[in-house]
Amino acid sequence: MNIESIGEFGLINRFKDSFNHLVPKDFTGIGDDCAIVPNEKFDYLLSTDMLVENIHFVLNSITPYQLGYKSLAVNLSDIAAMGGEPIGSFLSISVPKGFPVEYLDEFFKGYHQLSETFGVPLLGGDTTKSAAGVAINVTIFGKCPKGEALKRSAAKAGDKIFVTGTLGDSSIGLDALARKASGHHFLDFLIKKHYEPTPRIHEGIWLRNQESVHAMIDISDGIASDLKHVVQASKVSAEIQLNYLPTSYALNEIAEAFEVNPLNYSLIGGEDYELLFTVAQEDADNIRNGFKLRFGEDITEIGVIKEGGNGIVWKMDEEEVEVNLEGFNHFNA
Ligand code: ADP
Ligand code: MG
């Protein structure tokens, strides 16, 4: 059997349960954006993410500064997804023989810039030679008040489902690069969203402080895939209005130029690093207004959590539609 036949999540499911008895009762292990390790005063949040050359990035397409920035950004996003405050990071990097030091200097400038923005020190790591290609692994840790992390498993029937920002910008930016598109002034904006995503740390903390916000996840693999994690973990189902998915004017313009349905990006495109969260129905307007007041930005209601099952019903103009496409999943075609 090869790994393509089970995929990334199939693999995780094969070994996950064998560790359960080693996980203390008050810990949260595999299955959320971060593991939760309680301390007397607060909960530690821990997560790790890897970026591999020619899988997650192509060296001559991304700048070294952006690669350094993005390596930390995607990890900070997992802390944001739990409503955590970041504390520190560890960085391991492996490069082939003869790799230019000037490249690495620029890489660390990007990593440092984002570390400054969120006041997160680099506390350690590892440096090794690779047989071929660059691989980067970052481990991030953070904290939040005891028992208050926003888990994927906390969605409740009746909750409204919201997302921050707009969806699909990052993936259409990537597509624009693949197509070597040029000549449109929105392209730079979209490509920047792909290479320099902003982890929603402040927004995550604010949302965690709102009692009516129940479950949260960051959108790294596209909402079709990430919302599935929420409904499965929460043992609920969801109904999504596809025509409510927020897309930027830039995405709409470029998707039209590419003659591609914007949903190909907003629904299954990954790497937006926006937050998807569920809110008790009766408080949805308060959260929407409070978020706008605090951040000057709109959040968008895209659907509702329903009782039972663990599926997602996709609707367009109130009509149920088939969505066969999945978000990004390593090893699945
Ligand atoms: P995210 O997209 O938020 O980074 P993933 O979907 O990659 O999360 O991972 C889902 C869960 O599986 C996480 O809890 C992660 O820590 C865990 N996981 C992924 N790969 C491994 C692995 N090789 N060993 C142990 N746990 C893993
Ligand atoms: Mg995540």
Side-chain angles (χ1 to χ4, degrees):
M1 176 168 68
N2 60 30
I3 190 155
E4 282 76 10
S5 63
I6 56 169
E8 181 186 347
F9 302 111
L11 175 71
I12 295 169
N13 284 335
R14 283 168 77 85
F15 60 78
K16 191 176 94 175
D17 291 346
S18 68
F19 290 88
N20 281 349
H21 69 287
L22 298 172
V23 181
K25 274 205 172 52
D26 50 352
F27 283 33
T28 299
I30 295 173
D32 217 310
D33 293 294
C34 292
I36 307 176
V37 175
N39 167 291
E40 269 168 29
K41 296 199 176 124
F42 45 78
D43 286 342
Y44 279 119
L45 305 169
L46 299 119
S47 180
T48 189
D49 251 313
M50 190 144 97
L51 295 171
V52 175
E53 183 179 349
N54 295 333
I55 302 293
H56 298 98
F57 61 91
V58 178
L59 268 195
N60 64 10
S61 177
I62 191 167
T63 68
Y65 178 96
Q66 287 170 328
L67 184 58
Y69 180 102
K70 188 164 177 177
S71 303
L72 181 58
V74 302
N75 279 274
L76 283 170
S77 179
D78 278 324
I79 296 287
M82 311 291 292
E85 294 166 41
I87 297 176
S89 75
F90 288 78
L91 167 65
S92 297
I93 186 160
S94 144
V95 296
K97 199 164 166 248
F99 199 76
V101 171
E102 292 76 10
Y103 188 101
L104 293 168
D105 286 345
E106 275 298 304
F107 173 93
F108 276 96
K109 268 189 205 158
Y111 196 97
H112 180 259
Q113 178 57 56
L114 194 61
S115 301
E116 288 280 359
T117 302
F118 289 103
V120 190
L122 174 62
L123 295 173
D126 196 16
T127 307
T128 69
K129 186 162 82 177
S130 72
V134 175
I136 298 148
N137 179 252
V138 174
T139 299
I140 190 93
F141 72 108
K143 66 173 184 181
C144 76
K146 277 184 97 57
E148 289 185 20
L150 295 179
K151 297 190 190 183
R152 295 176 179 183
S153 55
K156 295 190 174 80
D159 283 0
K160 302 276 190 186
I161 306 167
F162 282 89
V163 292
T164 59
T166 54
L167 302 176
D169 291 341
S170 173
S171 70
I172 199 171
L174 180 65
D175 193 19
L177 287 165
R179 290 167 184 255
K180 298 190 172 26
S182 64
H184 204 297
H185 62 280
F186 287 133
L187 290 173
D188 286 349
F189 164 81
L190 296 167
I191 291 168
K192 194 163 187 266
K193 294 266 296 244
H194 180 68
Y195 284 141
E196 295 175 50
T198 306
R200 296 283 199 170
I201 292 288
H202 301 301
E203 295 86 342
I205 293 170
W206 186 87
L207 290 164
R208 185 248 294 154
N209 280 324
Q210 316 304 314
E211 229 163 80
S212 57
V213 177
H214 294 153
M216 189 150 75
I217 190 169
D218 67 323
I219 306 170
S220 54
D221 301 336
I223 67 153
S225 172
D226 291 319
L227 177 61
K228 199 162 85 183
H229 295 316
V230 172
V231 296
Q232 284 177 346
S234 300
K235 300 184 174 61
V236 292
S237 53
E239 190 178 289
I240 296 295
Q241 303 294 337
L242 290 173
N243 36 330
Y244 292 178
L245 298 188
T247 51
S248 65
Y249 185 70
L251 180 143
N252 295 336
E253 287 283 296
I254 301 294
E256 195 178 334
F258 290 172
E259 296 179 0
V260 175
N261 186 333
L263 282 171
N264 274 35
Y265 305 107
S266 58
L267 180 59
I268 59 160
E271 300 202 88
D272 283 315
Y273 299 103
E274 295 294 347
L275 297 174
L276 179 148
F277 54 97
T278 77
V279 182
Q281 186 186 349
E282 64 278 8
D283 209 38
D285 285 340
N286 283 337
I287 295 296
R288 193 201 318 272
N289 296 337
F291 192 95
K292 175 95 181 183
L293 214 58
R294 170 67 180 79
F295 297 105
E297 255 188 74
D298 288 317
I299 52 174
T300 308
E301 185 181 322
I302 60 168
V304 64
I305 297 288
K306 301 248 164 153
E307 200 137 339
N310 60 12
I312 304 174
V313 172
W314 305 98
K315 288 196 164 176
M316 181 75 98
D317 299 321
E318 298 299 324
E319 287 283 312
E320 192 169 332
V321 292
E322 270 299 308
V323 169
N324 295 317
L325 304 162
E326 298 282 329
F328 188 75
N329 172 349
H330 281 274
F331 305 114
N332 268 6

